[in-house]
Amino acid sequence: MIILIEHMFDVNSRRGSLGESRILNRLMADDRVIDWAKTLGEAEIRAFMKARRRFLKRPSAKHLHDVRTAARRLRSLFKDFRDVLRPRRSKRLRRLIEVTSEARDAAVLRKTLRTALDTRERRVARATLSELRARERACFARVRRLLAGLRYST
Amino acid sequence: MKARNIDLTVACGIDDAMRRIAIVRFAELLTLAPALHTHRARDLHDFRIACTRLRCALERFTSKEPSLLEAASRLSQLQEALGNWHDREQLLAMVPELQLTARRIAIERDDALSRANALWRDAFAAYGPFEGLMRFTGLGYGFADGEAPGAGT
Protein backbone atom coordinates (compact mmCIF):
# COMPACT_ATOMS: atom_id res chain seq x y z
CA MET A 1 0.00 0.00 0.00
CA ILE A 2 2.70 2.46 1.06
CA ILE A 3 4.73 1.54 -2.04
CA LEU A 4 1.67 2.26 -4.20
CA ILE A 5 1.18 5.67 -2.56
CA GLU A 6 4.85 6.59 -3.00
CA HIS A 7 4.65 5.45 -6.64
CA MET A 8 1.70 7.80 -7.20
CA PHE A 9 3.70 10.70 -5.78
CA ASP A 10 6.72 9.76 -7.92
CA VAL A 11 4.63 9.72 -11.06
CA ASN A 12 3.35 13.16 -10.16
CA SER A 13 6.70 14.70 -9.38
CA ARG A 14 8.30 13.72 -12.67
CA ARG A 15 7.62 17.11 -14.17
CA GLY A 16 9.20 20.23 -12.73
CA SER A 17 7.12 22.91 -11.07
CA LEU A 18 8.92 25.88 -12.64
CA GLY A 19 6.88 28.51 -14.41
CA GLU A 20 8.40 27.52 -17.73
CA SER A 21 7.29 23.90 -17.49
CA ARG A 22 3.83 24.99 -16.31
CA ILE A 23 3.30 26.95 -19.52
CA LEU A 24 4.45 23.92 -21.47
CA ASN A 25 2.13 21.70 -19.42
CA ARG A 26 -0.86 23.90 -20.29
CA LEU A 27 0.01 23.52 -23.94
CA MET A 28 0.32 19.74 -23.62
CA ALA A 29 -2.83 19.05 -21.63
CA ASP A 30 -5.96 17.48 -23.11
CA ASP A 31 -8.39 20.15 -24.40
CA ARG A 32 -11.33 18.44 -22.70
CA VAL A 33 -9.53 18.67 -19.35
CA ILE A 34 -8.68 22.34 -19.89
CA ASP A 35 -12.28 23.21 -20.83
CA TRP A 36 -13.61 21.33 -17.83
CA ALA A 37 -11.11 23.03 -15.49
CA LYS A 38 -12.09 26.44 -16.90
CA THR A 39 -15.80 25.70 -16.35
CA LEU A 40 -15.12 24.63 -12.75
CA GLY A 41 -12.95 27.71 -12.21
CA GLU A 42 -15.64 30.06 -13.52
CA ALA A 43 -18.24 28.49 -11.22
CA GLU A 44 -15.97 28.85 -8.17
CA ILE A 45 -15.12 32.45 -9.08
CA ARG A 46 -18.83 33.31 -9.46
CA ALA A 47 -19.53 31.77 -6.03
CA PHE A 48 -16.64 33.73 -4.50
CA MET A 49 -17.71 37.03 -6.05
CA LYS A 50 -21.29 36.51 -4.84
CA ALA A 51 -20.06 35.84 -1.27
CA ARG A 52 -17.74 38.86 -1.54
CA ARG A 53 -20.61 41.16 -2.61
CA ARG A 54 -22.80 39.97 0.25
CA PHE A 55 -20.11 40.45 2.86
CA LEU A 56 -19.20 43.94 1.65
CA LYS A 57 -22.88 44.89 1.63
CA ARG A 58 -23.66 43.47 5.06
CA PRO A 59 -20.73 42.07 7.10
CA SER A 60 -21.99 39.30 9.36
CA ALA A 61 -20.71 36.01 10.77
CA LYS A 62 -22.73 34.06 8.18
CA HIS A 63 -21.44 36.13 5.27
CA LEU A 64 -17.89 35.80 6.61
CA HIS A 65 -18.31 32.02 6.66
CA ASP A 66 -19.51 32.11 3.03
CA VAL A 67 -16.52 34.22 1.95
CA ARG A 68 -14.09 31.92 3.77
CA THR A 69 -15.61 28.76 2.28
CA ALA A 70 -15.71 30.18 -1.26
CA ALA A 71 -12.11 31.45 -0.99
CA ARG A 72 -10.86 28.09 0.27
CA ARG A 73 -12.67 26.22 -2.49
CA LEU A 74 -11.20 28.54 -5.10
CA ARG A 75 -7.67 28.12 -3.72
CA SER A 76 -8.10 24.36 -3.60
CA LEU A 77 -9.21 24.39 -7.24
CA PHE A 78 -6.13 26.39 -8.27
CA LYS A 79 -3.95 23.83 -6.47
CA ASP A 80 -5.64 20.79 -8.01
CA PHE A 81 -5.46 22.24 -11.51
CA ARG A 82 -2.08 23.98 -11.20
CA ASP A 83 -0.91 22.38 -14.45
CA VAL A 84 -3.85 23.49 -16.56
CA LEU A 85 -5.22 26.63 -14.88
CA ARG A 86 -3.26 29.79 -14.16
CA PRO A 87 -3.61 30.60 -10.45
CA ARG A 88 -4.83 34.19 -10.14
CA ARG A 89 -4.13 36.56 -7.25
CA SER A 90 -3.05 33.58 -5.18
CA LYS A 91 -1.12 35.62 -2.57
CA ARG A 92 -4.06 37.91 -1.86
CA LEU A 93 -6.37 34.91 -1.74
CA ARG A 94 -4.10 33.14 0.75
CA ARG A 95 -3.97 36.27 2.92
CA LEU A 96 -7.76 36.55 2.82
CA ILE A 97 -8.13 32.92 3.92
CA GLU A 98 -5.71 33.52 6.81
CA VAL A 99 -7.61 36.57 8.07
CA THR A 100 -11.06 34.99 7.68
CA SER A 101 -9.75 31.95 9.59
CA GLU A 102 -8.52 34.22 12.39
CA ALA A 103 -11.94 35.89 12.56
CA ARG A 104 -13.71 32.53 12.58
CA ASP A 105 -11.37 31.19 15.28
CA ALA A 106 -11.97 34.20 17.53
CA ALA A 107 -15.77 33.85 17.16
CA VAL A 108 -15.81 30.09 17.73
CA LEU A 109 -13.38 30.19 20.66
CA ARG A 110 -15.45 32.90 22.35
CA LYS A 111 -18.64 30.86 21.92
CA THR A 112 -16.96 27.64 23.11
CA LEU A 113 -15.48 29.35 26.15
CA ARG A 114 -18.82 30.91 27.11
CA THR A 115 -20.51 27.51 26.84
CA ALA A 116 -17.89 25.62 28.85
CA LEU A 117 -17.29 28.37 31.40
CA ASP A 118 -17.68 27.38 35.05
CA THR A 119 -19.72 30.06 36.83
CA ARG A 120 -17.09 30.33 39.59
CA GLU A 121 -14.51 31.44 37.02
CA ARG A 122 -16.68 33.95 35.17
CA ARG A 123 -14.84 37.00 36.47
CA VAL A 124 -11.38 35.65 35.54
CA ALA A 125 -12.58 34.75 32.03
CA ARG A 126 -13.91 38.23 31.30
CA ALA A 127 -10.56 39.53 29.99
CA THR A 128 -10.10 36.58 27.62
CA LEU A 129 -13.66 36.95 26.28
CA SER A 130 -13.14 40.68 25.65
CA GLU A 131 -9.84 40.00 23.91
CA LEU A 132 -11.48 37.45 21.61
CA ARG A 133 -14.29 39.88 20.79
CA ALA A 134 -11.78 42.62 19.97
CA ARG A 135 -9.79 40.22 17.80
CA GLU A 136 -12.93 39.22 15.89
CA ARG A 137 -13.86 42.87 15.23
CA ALA A 138 -10.35 43.73 14.06
CA CYS A 139 -10.37 40.77 11.67
CA PHE A 140 -13.73 41.84 10.22
CA ALA A 141 -12.25 45.23 9.35
CA ARG A 142 -9.20 43.57 7.75
CA VAL A 143 -11.41 41.20 5.74
CA ARG A 144 -13.34 44.21 4.39
CA ARG A 145 -10.12 45.90 3.32
CA LEU A 146 -8.74 42.75 1.70
CA LEU A 147 -11.99 42.00 -0.12
CA ALA A 148 -12.20 45.52 -1.50
CA GLY A 149 -8.91 44.90 -3.32
CA LEU A 150 -9.62 41.35 -4.49
CA ARG A 151 -11.73 40.98 -7.61
CA TYR A 152 -12.05 38.31 -10.26
CA SER A 153 -13.76 38.44 -13.61
CA THR A 154 -15.01 35.27 -15.29
CA MET B 1 1.88 20.10 4.66
CA LYS B 2 2.03 21.51 1.16
CA ALA B 3 -0.38 20.02 -1.36
CA ARG B 4 1.26 17.73 -3.89
CA ASN B 5 1.27 18.84 -7.49
CA ILE B 6 -1.00 16.78 -9.72
CA ASP B 7 0.15 16.03 -13.24
CA LEU B 8 -2.92 16.52 -15.42
CA THR B 9 -0.99 16.88 -18.68
CA VAL B 10 -1.01 13.11 -19.13
CA ALA B 11 -4.72 12.78 -18.27
CA CYS B 12 -6.81 11.35 -21.10
CA GLY B 13 -10.17 13.01 -20.66
CA ILE B 14 -12.17 14.28 -17.71
CA ASP B 15 -12.69 10.92 -15.98
CA ASP B 16 -8.98 10.24 -15.96
CA ALA B 17 -8.22 13.74 -14.64
CA MET B 18 -10.79 13.27 -11.84
CA ARG B 19 -9.25 9.93 -10.94
CA ARG B 20 -5.73 11.37 -10.86
CA ILE B 21 -6.78 14.20 -8.54
CA ALA B 22 -8.70 11.85 -6.24
CA ILE B 23 -5.79 9.38 -6.07
CA VAL B 24 -3.21 12.00 -5.07
CA ARG B 25 -5.46 13.69 -2.50
CA PHE B 26 -6.58 10.35 -1.04
CA ALA B 27 -2.97 9.13 -0.92
CA GLU B 28 -2.04 12.30 1.00
CA LEU B 29 -4.80 11.58 3.48
CA LEU B 30 -3.75 7.93 3.95
CA THR B 31 -0.13 8.98 4.48
CA LEU B 32 -1.15 11.43 7.22
CA ALA B 33 -3.69 9.15 8.92
CA PRO B 34 -1.26 7.84 11.60
CA ALA B 35 -1.80 11.24 13.29
CA LEU B 36 -5.04 9.78 14.69
CA HIS B 37 -2.89 7.29 16.56
CA THR B 38 0.04 9.51 17.61
CA HIS B 39 -2.25 12.44 18.65
CA ARG B 40 0.48 14.97 17.78
CA ALA B 41 -1.14 18.37 17.28
CA ARG B 42 0.89 19.30 14.17
CA ASP B 43 0.17 15.94 12.48
CA LEU B 44 -3.53 16.12 13.31
CA HIS B 45 -3.67 19.62 11.87
CA ASP B 46 -2.08 18.39 8.62
CA PHE B 47 -4.51 15.47 8.51
CA ARG B 48 -7.44 17.89 8.90
CA ILE B 49 -6.14 20.02 6.02
CA ALA B 50 -5.77 16.90 3.86
CA CYS B 51 -9.42 16.02 4.66
CA THR B 52 -10.44 19.50 3.45
CA ARG B 53 -8.47 19.16 0.21
CA LEU B 54 -9.91 15.77 -0.63
CA ARG B 55 -13.43 16.84 0.27
CA CYS B 56 -13.23 19.96 -1.93
CA ALA B 57 -12.04 17.84 -4.84
CA LEU B 58 -14.70 15.14 -4.38
CA GLU B 59 -17.52 17.67 -4.09
CA ARG B 60 -16.53 18.98 -7.51
CA PHE B 61 -16.76 15.50 -8.99
CA THR B 62 -20.02 14.25 -7.48
CA SER B 63 -22.16 15.54 -10.37
CA LYS B 64 -20.19 13.25 -12.70
CA GLU B 65 -19.40 10.52 -10.18
CA PRO B 66 -22.19 10.23 -7.54
CA SER B 67 -20.44 7.27 -5.88
CA LEU B 68 -18.09 9.81 -4.24
CA LEU B 69 -20.92 11.60 -2.44
CA GLU B 70 -20.76 9.40 0.67
CA ALA B 71 -17.02 9.84 1.02
CA ALA B 72 -17.39 13.63 0.73
CA SER B 73 -20.05 13.56 3.42
CA ARG B 74 -17.90 11.40 5.73
CA LEU B 75 -14.95 13.75 5.19
CA SER B 76 -17.18 16.65 6.19
CA GLN B 77 -18.04 14.86 9.47
CA LEU B 78 -14.36 14.08 10.04
CA GLN B 79 -13.45 17.70 9.41
CA GLU B 80 -16.06 18.85 11.91
CA ALA B 81 -14.80 16.47 14.62
CA LEU B 82 -11.17 17.46 13.99
CA GLY B 83 -12.20 21.14 13.92
CA ASN B 84 -13.81 20.73 17.36
CA TRP B 85 -10.64 19.07 18.61
CA HIS B 86 -8.51 21.91 17.19
CA ASP B 87 -10.70 24.67 18.68
CA ARG B 88 -10.52 23.12 22.15
CA GLU B 89 -6.79 22.55 21.87
CA GLN B 90 -6.33 26.26 21.04
CA LEU B 91 -8.65 27.34 23.83
CA LEU B 92 -6.83 25.24 26.43
CA ALA B 93 -3.60 27.06 25.61
CA MET B 94 -5.38 30.39 26.17
CA VAL B 95 -6.96 29.71 29.56
CA PRO B 96 -4.43 27.97 31.81
CA GLU B 97 -5.71 29.94 34.83
CA LEU B 98 -9.31 28.67 34.46
CA GLN B 99 -8.79 25.23 35.95
CA LEU B 100 -12.43 24.12 36.26
CA THR B 101 -13.32 25.33 32.79
CA ALA B 102 -10.14 23.84 31.32
CA ARG B 103 -11.09 20.44 32.71
CA ARG B 104 -14.43 20.57 30.85
CA ILE B 105 -12.77 21.74 27.65
CA ALA B 106 -10.20 18.92 27.87
CA ILE B 107 -13.01 16.35 28.12
CA GLU B 108 -14.71 17.86 25.06
CA ARG B 109 -11.39 17.83 23.19
CA ASP B 110 -10.79 14.14 23.92
CA ASP B 111 -14.38 13.31 22.92
CA ALA B 112 -13.90 15.08 19.59
CA LEU B 113 -10.74 13.07 18.88
CA SER B 114 -12.46 9.79 19.80
CA ARG B 115 -15.27 10.69 17.42
CA ALA B 116 -12.78 11.45 14.62
CA ASN B 117 -11.10 8.08 15.22
CA ALA B 118 -14.43 6.24 15.12
CA LEU B 119 -15.51 8.06 11.93
CA TRP B 120 -12.23 7.20 10.22
CA ARG B 121 -12.26 3.54 11.24
CA ASP B 122 -15.87 3.06 10.22
CA ALA B 123 -15.30 4.72 6.82
CA PHE B 124 -13.28 1.69 5.64
CA ALA B 125 -15.88 -0.94 6.54
CA ALA B 126 -17.25 -3.07 3.72
CA TYR B 127 -19.96 -1.02 1.94
CA GLY B 128 -18.94 1.89 4.20
CA PRO B 129 -18.70 5.56 3.18
CA PHE B 130 -15.27 5.15 1.53
CA GLU B 131 -16.33 2.16 -0.58
CA GLY B 132 -17.07 4.35 -3.62
CA LEU B 133 -13.84 6.32 -3.18
CA MET B 134 -11.76 3.13 -2.83
CA ARG B 135 -13.34 1.68 -5.98
CA PHE B 136 -12.80 4.93 -7.88
CA THR B 137 -9.15 5.32 -6.88
CA GLY B 138 -8.13 1.71 -6.36
CA LEU B 139 -6.56 2.77 -3.03
CA GLY B 140 -7.48 1.80 0.53
CA TYR B 141 -8.34 -1.87 0.08
CA GLY B 142 -6.89 -4.19 2.68
CA PHE B 143 -7.73 -1.80 5.50
CA ALA B 144 -11.30 -3.02 5.98
CA ASP B 145 -12.58 -4.98 9.00
CA GLY B 146 -11.50 -2.52 11.66
CA GLU B 147 -7.99 -1.98 10.38
CA ALA B 148 -8.24 1.51 9.02
CA PRO B 149 -4.82 3.06 8.40
CA GLY B 150 -3.58 4.98 11.41
CA ALA B 151 -6.70 4.38 13.49
CA GLY B 152 -5.98 4.38 17.19
CA THR B 153 -6.95 1.49 19.40
Side-chain angles (χ1 to χ4, degrees), chain B residues 31-103:
Chain B
T31 310
L32 295 167
L36 285 169
H37 185 56
T38 61
H39 296 191
R40 267 199 294 270
R42 183 73 232 173
D43 297 346
L44 277 165
H45 176 74
D46 286 345
F47 180 68
R48 191 168 62 100
I49 303 298
C51 281
T52 312
R53 281 188 198 132
L54 179 59
R55 181 190 160 198
C56 277
L58 296 187
E59 280 177 350
R60 261 180 231 123
F61 305 158
T62 49
S63 58
K64 287 186 187 295
E65 189 59 52
S67 69
L68 300 173
L69 205 62
E70 268 196 83
S73 161
R74 174 52 56 101
L75 286 166
S76 161
Q77 293 170 323
L78 248 173
Q79 246 185 291
E80 194 188 328
L82 290 167
N84 286 339
W85 163 82
H86 184 249
D87 291 337
R88 273 130 192 101
E89 186 80 359
Q90 269 190 303
L91 203 51
L92 280 172
M94 286 179 76
V95 292
E97 72 282 9
L98 307 176
Q99 288 179 1
L100 298 168
T101 306
R103 212 173 295 158

Side-chain angles (χ1 to χ4, degrees), chain A residues 1-2 4-6 8-17 22 24-26 28-30 32-33 36 40 44 68 72-84 104-105 108-110 112-113 115-121 124-125 128 131-132 135, chain B residues 1-14 17-18 20-21 23-28 30-31 48-49 52-53 55-57 59-61 64 79 83-84 86-88 90-91 94-95 97-102 104-105 108 138-141 143:
Chain A
M1 183 67 196
I2 297 295
L4 182 60
I5 292 170
E6 286 307 317
M8 276 316 303
F9 287 150
D10 282 350
V11 167
N12 268 290
S13 58
R14 265 184 319 175
R15 285 170 204 277
S17 57
R22 285 212 192 130
L24 195 65
N25 284 349
R26 275 197 285 278
M28 284 164 61
D30 187 331
R32 289 166 299 177
V33 176
W36 174 58
L40 289 174
E44 298 289 8
R68 181 168 172 260
R72 287 173 69 163
R73 287 180 64 93
L74 187 57
R75 187 154 182 250
S76 147
L77 181 101
F78 285 149
K79 278 186 182 167
D80 286 352
F81 292 90
R82 198 155 38 187
D83 276 346
V84 289
R104 177 256 170 218
D105 281 355
V108 170
L109 294 185
R110 195 164 64 90
T112 309
L113 180 56
T115 311
L117 192 59
D118 190 287
T119 45
R120 285 164 286 182
E121 294 176 331
V124 191
T128 311
E131 189 200 316
L132 287 169
R135 202 189 292 177
Chain B
M1 198 183 104
K2 240 182 145 181
R4 300 261 185 173
N5 189 33
I6 302 169
D7 187 1
L8 294 178
T9 58
V10 286
C12 304
I14 296 170
M18 285 196 319
R20 281 171 185 277
I21 293 170
I23 286 173
V24 173
R25 295 292 175 243
F26 191 30
E28 281 177 345
L30 292 170
T31 310
R48 191 168 62 100
I49 303 298
T52 312
R53 281 188 198 132
R55 181 190 160 198
C56 277
E59 280 177 350
R60 261 180 231 123
F61 305 158
K64 287 186 187 295
Q79 246 185 291
N84 286 339
H86 184 249
D87 291 337
R88 273 130 192 101
Q90 269 190 303
L91 203 51
M94 286 179 76
V95 292
E97 72 282 9
L98 307 176
Q99 288 179 1
L100 298 168
T101 306
R104 286 184 190 175
I105 296 170
E108 288 178 10
L139 294 178
Y141 281 109
F143 290 124

Side-chain angles (χ1 to χ4, degrees), chain A residues 53-103:
Chain A
R53 263 196 312 276
R54 281 185 178 167
F55 182 86
L56 288 175
K57 196 174 175 186
R58 193 181 300 167
S60 67
K62 191 195 172 301
H63 291 164
L64 178 87
H65 171 78
D66 293 345
V67 164
R68 181 168 172 260
T69 311
R72 287 173 69 163
R73 287 180 64 93
L74 187 57
R75 187 154 182 250
S76 147
L77 181 101
F78 285 149
K79 278 186 182 167
D80 286 352
F81 292 90
R82 198 155 38 187
D83 276 346
V84 289
L85 275 183
R86 189 166 51 88
R88 292 155 66 190
R89 299 173 184 87
S90 49
K91 276 186 189 168
R92 281 190 194 183
L93 194 60
R94 193 183 67 198
R95 186 80 199 108
L96 176 73
I97 292 167
E98 281 169 7
V99 180
T100 50
S101 295
E102 273 178 53

